[in-house]
């Protein structure tokens, strides 16, 4: 069982930065694939970024590549999402997710919400223009 708690959301002006954190419980955190997803009002949840258990591979949605960076610290059982050059369209609730490694046979699985087993409660990010 893994519990996830996000933090770091808030209100920021366009062009600004935020760093989201996701603290995990559970002894097997270091073996899990981790992802960030977001959901804006009236829209479906969408993939943002993901990272392999070792941190050696990262994956990004095209809309955030070059602006967002995902990283993890397995010793601290925490995954981060550094968000730079924020835009109003980045406004959403951001969710952290964890997935058992045996599900991620190929890169495509990282992009799919159904691959993940555990989800946090979300943190609101609001970007003003």
């Amino acid at each position: 069982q893994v519990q996830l708690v996000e933090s770091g959301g808030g209100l920021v002006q366009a062009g600004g930065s935020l760093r989201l954190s996701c603290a995990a419980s559970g002894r097997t955190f270091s073996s899990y694939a981790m992802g960030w997803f977001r959901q804006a009002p009236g829209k479906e949840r969408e993939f943002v970024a993901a990272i392999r258990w070792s941190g050696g591979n990262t994956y990004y949605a095209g809309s955030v590549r070059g602006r967002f960076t995902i990283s993890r610290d397995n010793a601290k059982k925490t995954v981060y999402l550094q968000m730079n050059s924020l835009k109003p369209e980045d406004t959403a609730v951001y969710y952290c997710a964890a997935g058992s490694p045996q599900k991620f046979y190929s890169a495509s699985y990282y992009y799919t919400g159904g691959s993940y087993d555990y989800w946090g409660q979300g943190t609101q990010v609001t970007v003003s223009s």
Side-chain angles (χ1 to χ4, degrees):
Q1 188 77 10
V2 175
Q3 292 185 325
L4 304 172
V5 179
E6 303 97 333
S7 62
L11 174 64
V12 64
Q13 288 188 334
S17 298
L18 283 175
R19 188 175 82 154
L20 304 183
S21 298
C22 174
S25 64
R27 293 180 295 174
T28 57
F29 170 81
S30 62
S31 67
Y32 277 77
M34 300 297 297
W36 286 97
F37 290 76
R38 67 187 181 187
Q39 187 166 21
K43 295 187 177 181
E44 293 187 353
R45 182 183 64 193
E46 65 174 359
F47 170 79
V48 176
I51 188 166
R52 195 167 176 260
W53 68 271
S54 65
N57 294 86
T58 56
Y59 309 89
Y60 296 95
S63 60
V64 307
R65 186 175 291 113
R67 299 188 298 122
F68 291 10
T69 302
I70 188 171
S71 62
R72 66 189 296 164
D73 185 334
N74 286 340
K76 294 182 178 180
K77 297 185 180 179
T78 301
V79 64
Y80 305 97
L81 185 68
Q82 177 67 44
M83 306 185 295
N84 298 329
S85 302
L86 282 161
K87 304 175 181 180
E89 51 264 43
D90 294 318
T91 295
V93 177
Y94 283 69
Y95 297 92
C96 173
S100 301
Q102 57 265 33
K103 292 187 177 181
F104 294 82
Y105 299 115
S106 67
S108 62
Y109 287 91
Y110 288 87
Y111 297 84
T112 305
S115 302
Y116 296 83
D117 303 295
Y118 305 101
W119 294 81
Q121 82 290 348
T123 185
Q124 176 71 47
V125 171
T126 303
V127 184
S128 63
S129 58

